[in-house]
Amino acid sequence: MLTISGQYPSEGAKGAALDSLIEFSIIDDGTGIDASSIIVEVSGARAIEDLGFQPGFDGLYSDIEVSSDLVNIVIDQEDIFRQGQVVSIKIQVKNLDNEFFNYNYLFKTVAPEPVL
């Protein structure tokens, strides 16, 4: 069974920094992970496909580490997020039995300062 852990910013977080790295791990306790099947979207834009970072998501700290039962992903978006932005993360991956796993979560960036 595939699971997602270690999300940063965490699921439902409020007040994430505008330059936050997106981090998570995909863990399998069964047949293994088909790492080439991983697709990640950040707020509707494709960030990872075919084990490669798409334009706009291949910042200095972007990294994918793969082993048979664990994939660690760090996405360093090249532009910062907007203030008060709700960021959606969508992850799709399949295991070596060709069973797909989809996971979605949201976090929100720091709100703009109040205007007096």
Side-chain angles (χ1 to χ4, degrees):
M1 177 171 160
L2 297 170
T3 57
I4 303 292
S5 72
Q7 298 101 306
Y8 180 83
S10 61
E11 182 173 358
K14 296 178 181 173
L18 300 180
D19 61 351
S20 290
L21 299 175
I22 298 168
E23 301 178 48
F24 58 88
S25 297
I26 302 169
I27 302 168
D28 180 63
D29 62 2
T31 62
I33 300 168
D34 178 358
S36 66
S37 74
I38 297 171
I39 295 173
V40 179
E41 290 185 355
V42 177
S43 291
R46 188 70 47 103
I48 297 175
E49 186 172 32
D50 296 326
L51 283 179
F53 292 96
Q54 302 304 300
F57 296 94
D58 196 10
L60 180 63
Y61 300 105
S62 290
D63 188 39
I64 301 173
E65 294 179 15
V66 178
S67 68
S68 63
D69 60 353
L70 177 69
V71 178
N72 292 314
I73 294 178
V74 178
I75 300 171
D76 182 6
Q77 183 171 283
E78 293 171 20
D79 293 325
I80 63 171
F81 295 110
R82 296 182 319 276
Q83 288 184 321
Q85 180 179 356
V86 175
V87 180
S88 67
I89 307 297
K90 293 183 178 183
I91 303 162
Q92 182 182 69
V93 61
K94 67 179 180 175
N95 65 18
L96 296 179
D97 284 337
N98 289 318
E99 297 170 327
F100 280 91
F101 175 77
N102 292 290
Y103 187 80
N104 303 312
Y105 72 98
L106 303 169
F107 64 88
K108 186 174 182 179
T109 63
V110 65
E113 295 296 323
V115 178
L116 299 177

